[in-house]
Amino acid sequence: MLLAMAWRNVWRNARRSLITMTSMSLGVAGIVGLYSYREAANEAMVRDITTGLLGHIQVHGLGYQEAPSISTVVKNPVQVEAALAGALPNAQTERRVLGAGLAGAGERSAPVMVLGVEPKTTTLYRLAKGAELTGGHEVLIGRELADELGLSPGGELVLVSQGADGSVANDRYTVAGTFVSSSAELDATAVVMPLNEAQSFFALGDGVHQLVVRLPTDAEDVSPQVTALRAALDLKTLEALSWSEMLPQVKSTMDTKRRNQGVMDFVIFLIVGLGVFNAMTMSVFERTHELGVLSALGTRPGRLLGLVLFEALWQATLAFAVGVAIAALGLYGTGTTDLSAMMKGDVMGVRMPSEVHLVLLPAALRSAAFTAFLTAALGAVIPALRAARLRPVEALRHT
Amino acid sequence: MHALLLASLTLLAAADAPPADLPVCPSADDKPAVAPLIRRTERVLEGRSSIAVMNMSIKTPAYERTVKMKVWSKGRDFALVRVLEGGPRETGMMTLKREKQLWNYLPQAGRVMKLPSGMMGDSWMGSDFTNDDLVKGSSIADDFTAVVDKTGAHDGHQAWFITLTPKPEARVVWGKIELILDRATCLPLEQRFFDEEGGLTRRMTYADLKKLGWRDVAMKITITPAEKGRQTTITYDSLELDGEVADDTFSLRRLQQGKE
């Protein structure tokens, strides 16, 4: 009965309620929309990082992250992978060799990053032109590097570097194809070759520089898995790091954006909350007489309080539904967005994802619902208390 | 590299008697005229040509290795180094210096690559020499102002301790060089290189003097950089001074064909 009465009260002054609800629904739409957009972008970025460049976790020779050196390796990747499989049964691993060198083609030369990968398991790059590595004396090179060196598939690339034993590593390779990756830096500087080829080039034996670990999760926080992995590894010779430890700037930027949004949410709802407060105060004031009648008829103060609160909450409910609908329309209407168009090049070593699928996130709904209902309740609580405390005699005199 | 180093590595000039116009080493003088002294030292170390076989031992925290190589040189501007015994992919590697430029012949690739100017500061063959060291043919006498600080004993030799500060117009990377010259031979015993902040960046010591013709030659040169655990030592197996070296030796075309 209370709910029904509150519902009817909403429409007693339909115009005022509609104005209040409009401002609330715009607030909700704003929060849901921005939250979803931000998180979708974050997720896309984390997915790019974890599936491509970095993986969720990496295992290195101790000290590699701090000071990458060609001779700091995971000496026995097979053994380490076994330990890893024990600690994280569903994880996938990928071995990589990483070194700096000088690449030459004809008269041109350029400093490059040499990457030894397992061509079948790596997700580091997408082929742009030419063919995938088939083993042998072949390399793929980043698209921009190919332009710089004037190379195309079938061309010849000379590489010089320093091996792990200090000797001069040098060799000549056929360019099988060019690639694009999730990092502009890679596209402009990377030479990719089969893992065993790179191990032999750098005189590494079985050693690899990175064991890239991918977990079957979309979670941003992988610290439990890192802890589990560390327990299984010999930390005197190895280190295990999460993507956020390897790219702390990316993680902290995400966190800063979230904090800023929290402030935004607060401001939006402070304004909306004051609107609710104003509307409900007016509504109680206008109905002083009838509230007095109710009170005189023996309605208990608690029910009067409830009546006003529920009126506000009804409005919040409607506004929430409309706000979510607006946000959904906006998000799904846009469908995908291209962050890389907004920010050219790499941001802190990571290229912005070019395709972000915008979706309504349940977490965004929760956050918006929480704020909307809380604000409505808080905005209405003072007027509601006033209604509950009305003295019937005085109220009846009010016209 | 600087004249003293370049010349010591490539060791030039050796007739049986010193050139007639070479001043006598002022061994007895506590405060010799320092500019002529250094010019004299550079002249002794410099010469027409050299052919040497040497071993370069490189010690780093990560590895230790020795590369055996043959070096041809002519004057200050031309040198060719061929790796006789080295790592799996570097035997047969050659480095050609023609004036201020360096080319490497890469045996595994079978190609010649010119060193880009951006990599001049990088290590040469993983040693404590930089590519720049090989290319620099400048003269200490030209680029530095010298002062004899004191005279005294150093490693069992009586020596002059000389401080070299770059002349304002000189294009050098060092803030200061300390040179310890043997009073008996006028040859360097040790050089200490300081950066512009005054930090010691490397020490170079000369040992195992051997009589070659009319002059003494250090058969062992050690470079110790400031970086812990690193050292490069060069020792000569054989050394022939002032012999005939064909100009052709330093031709880029021969290098491209992989011929020494």
Side-chain angles (χ1 to χ4, degrees):
Chain A
M1 220 239 326
L2 200 60
L3 279 176
M5 280 173 71
W7 174 252
R8 247 176 283 141
N9 281 343
V10 171
W11 304 108
R12 293 261 296 277
N13 190 331
R15 191 169 58 180
R16 185 172 62 218
S17 296
L18 280 174
I19 292 172
T20 312
M21 286 190 287
T22 307
S23 92
M24 279 173 93
S25 38
L26 288 179
V28 167
I31 290 180
V32 172
L34 288 177
Y35 188 108
S36 294
Y37 177 81
R38 184 196 70 226
E39 286 306 317
N42 280 354
E43 244 185 77
M45 212 152 101
V46 171
R47 205 179 318 112
D48 264 18
I49 292 170
T50 54
T51 56
L53 205 56
L54 288 187
H56 290 96
I57 305 173
Q58 282 187 7
V59 180
H60 309 145
L62 187 65
Y64 184 82
Q65 182 68 26
E66 180 93 6
S69 149
I70 192 76
S71 47
T72 307
V73 292
V74 178
K75 283 203 184 70
N76 38 8
V78 178
Q79 222 170 309
V80 174
E81 275 168 10
L84 202 147
L88 305 168
N90 294 317
Q92 285 181 320
T93 59
E94 184 196 324
R95 301 174 193 181
R96 279 189 203 154
V97 162
L98 198 67
L102 179 68
E107 292 295 297
R108 304 190 201 184
S109 63
V112 293
M113 196 179 343
V114 180
L115 277 157
V117 300
E118 299 164 288
K120 289 200 185 68
T121 55
T122 193
T123 48
L124 200 60
Y125 55 82
R126 282 195 320 278
L127 209 59
K129 242 166 54 181
E132 181 57 88
L133 297 172
T134 53
H137 255 49
E138 286 181 347
V139 293
L140 296 176
I141 60 177
R143 197 170 53 189
E144 272 73 49
L145 180 63
D147 289 345
E148 195 186 336
L149 292 175
L151 278 170
S152 50
E156 177 192 282
L157 181 88
V158 175
L159 269 186
V160 199
S161 183
Q162 195 185 355
D165 60 355
S167 67
V168 176
N170 67 92
D171 216 329
R172 192 173 66 202
Y173 299 91
T174 305
V175 176
T178 63
F179 67 82
V180 285
S181 72
S182 65
S183 151
E185 201 190 330
L186 283 190
D187 294 354
T189 65
V191 173
V192 172
M193 61 172 79
L195 187 77
N196 54 355
E197 200 63 57
Q199 283 170 327
S200 130
F201 181 73
F202 287 115
L204 292 169
D206 289 333
V208 297
H209 295 112
Q210 304 178 333
L211 270 179
V212 179
V213 182
R214 293 205 179 77
L215 302 166
T217 172
D218 279 336
E220 207 177 290
D221 180 20
V222 292
S223 47
Q225 289 94 326
V226 174
T227 311
L229 180 56
R230 281 184 186 146
L233 295 177
D234 173 18
L235 295 178
K236 279 193 216 70
T237 58
L238 298 171
E239 64 186 20
L241 296 160
S242 68
W243 71 266
S244 53
E245 287 168 314
M246 291 181 278
L247 275 180
Q249 316 90 314
V250 172
K251 174 73 179 141
S252 73
T253 311
M254 285 181 185
D255 290 343
T256 310
K257 277 193 188 147
R258 287 191 182 118
R259 263 198 308 281
N260 292 348
Q261 173 116 46
V263 174
M264 275 277 281
D265 291 1
F266 177 76
V267 171
I268 290 178
F269 271 91
L270 192 67
I271 296 166
V272 175
L274 286 172
V276 174
F277 174 69
N278 180 40
M280 292 317 290
T281 306
M282 282 308 295
S283 149
V284 169
F285 182 74
E286 279 170 10
R287 286 179 219 144
T288 308
H289 185 78
E290 66 171 86
L291 288 167
V293 172
L294 280 171
S295 181
L297 288 173
T299 314
R300 279 202 302 277
R303 290 182 68 82
L304 290 178
L305 181 102
L307 190 66
V308 179
L309 275 184
F310 278 123
E311 188 184 336
L313 291 178
W314 267 125
Q315 298 188 42
T317 311
L318 285 175
F320 180 72
V322 174
V324 169
I326 294 172
L329 213 65
L331 291 169
Y332 290 104
T334 313
T336 61
T337 182
D338 184 357
L339 285 186
S340 62
M342 273 185 266
M343 284 176 258
K344 283 267 178 280
D346 288 7
V347 179
M348 294 161 299
V350 182
R351 177 178 296 178
M352 290 295 116
S354 58
E355 218 172 58
V356 177
H357 293 275
L358 297 176
V359 288
L360 211 53
L361 291 173
L365 298 186
R366 273 199 299 279
S367 142
F370 179 75
T371 346
F373 288 107
L374 194 70
T375 320
L378 285 178
V381 75
I382 293 171
L385 279 174
R386 186 180 294 162
R389 284 193 192 138
L390 280 178
R391 313 232 317 259
V393 185
E394 283 167 23
L396 285 172
R397 227 178 275 144
H398 193 98
T399 43
Chain B
M1 70 195 81
H2 261 288
L4 287 182
L5 167 61
L6 173 80
S8 321
L9 280 180
T10 53
L11 277 167
L12 317 168
D16 283 345
D21 61 339
L22 189 76
V24 177
C25 181
S27 302
D29 202 341
D30 275 357
K31 285 267 178 196
V34 69
L37 172 63
I38 288 179
R39 250 179 228 295
R40 181 193 186 280
T41 302
E42 284 192 322
R43 254 192 85 185
V44 171
L45 293 171
E46 245 173 73
R48 280 206 343 259
S49 68
S50 78
I51 300 175
V53 175
M54 56 165 109
N55 290 294
M56 179 166 77
S57 302
I58 304 157
K59 206 166 87 182
T60 77
Y63 56 85
E64 232 175 281
R65 70 195 199 100
T66 298
V67 182
K68 186 175 186 173
M69 36 199 193
K70 192 167 180 184
V71 182
W72 295 259
S73 79
K74 198 159 201 172
R76 233 180 233 173
D77 286 338
F78 299 97
L80 177 72
V81 182
R82 182 188 175 91
V83 176
L84 301 178
E85 287 163 32
R89 287 172 189 247
E90 69 188 0
T91 299
M93 178 176 160
M94 291 188 274
T95 300
L96 173 67
K97 166 195 149 81
R98 288 178 65 88
E99 289 164 342
K100 301 279 173 199
Q101 293 179 318
L102 279 188
W103 287 267
N104 286 310
Y105 171 75
L106 308 163
Q108 184 83 20
R111 290 286 183 275
V112 167
M113 199 186 261
K114 182 167 186 240
L115 198 83
S117 52
M119 294 180 82
M120 278 297 179
D122 290 10
S123 155
W124 178 61
M125 295 195 69
S127 73
D128 294 305
F129 289 109
T130 63
N131 294 305
D132 215 23
D133 283 333
L134 299 180
V135 168
K136 277 229 185 84
S138 62
S139 148
I140 281 193
D142 290 347
D143 286 346
F144 290 82
T145 310
V147 175
V148 179
D149 290 327
K150 58 168 183 173
T151 165
H154 179 83
D155 268 354
H157 297 266
Q158 280 301 310
W160 294 294
F161 291 78
I162 297 166
T163 300
L164 303 160
T165 38
K167 291 180 181 168
E169 71 280 4
R171 297 182 59 185
V172 293
V173 294
W174 312 109
K176 180 177 84 167
I177 302 176
E178 287 177 7
L179 170 65
I180 304 171
L181 267 191
D182 182 21
R183 285 179 62 158
T185 59
C186 276
L187 287 176
L189 296 169
E190 182 169 333
Q191 268 179 291
R192 296 177 189 152
F193 298 85
F194 296 84
D195 60 25
E196 271 155 7
E197 281 75 47
L200 180 66
T201 54
R202 66 180 186 186
R203 285 181 341 127
M204 208 177 287
T205 57
Y206 303 80
D208 297 352
L209 287 189
K210 191 180 162 188
K211 202 113 192 131
L212 270 182
W214 57 271
R215 63 190 140 188
D216 295 296
V217 172
M219 300 301 278
K220 182 174 170 186
I221 301 167
T222 307
I223 298 183
T224 315
E227 200 184 320
K228 250 186 135 68
R230 289 195 65 113
Q231 194 169 65
T232 299
T233 307
I234 285 174
T235 50
Y236 289 98
D237 277 1
S238 72
L239 185 57
E240 186 195 328
L241 297 173
D242 280 352
E244 274 312 307
V245 178
D247 280 342
D248 204 22
T249 311
F250 311 105
S251 103
L252 189 55
R253 189 146 26 90
R254 280 182 73 86
L255 187 75
Q256 276 156 348
Q257 290 161 355
K259 290 183 194 158
E260 59 190 49

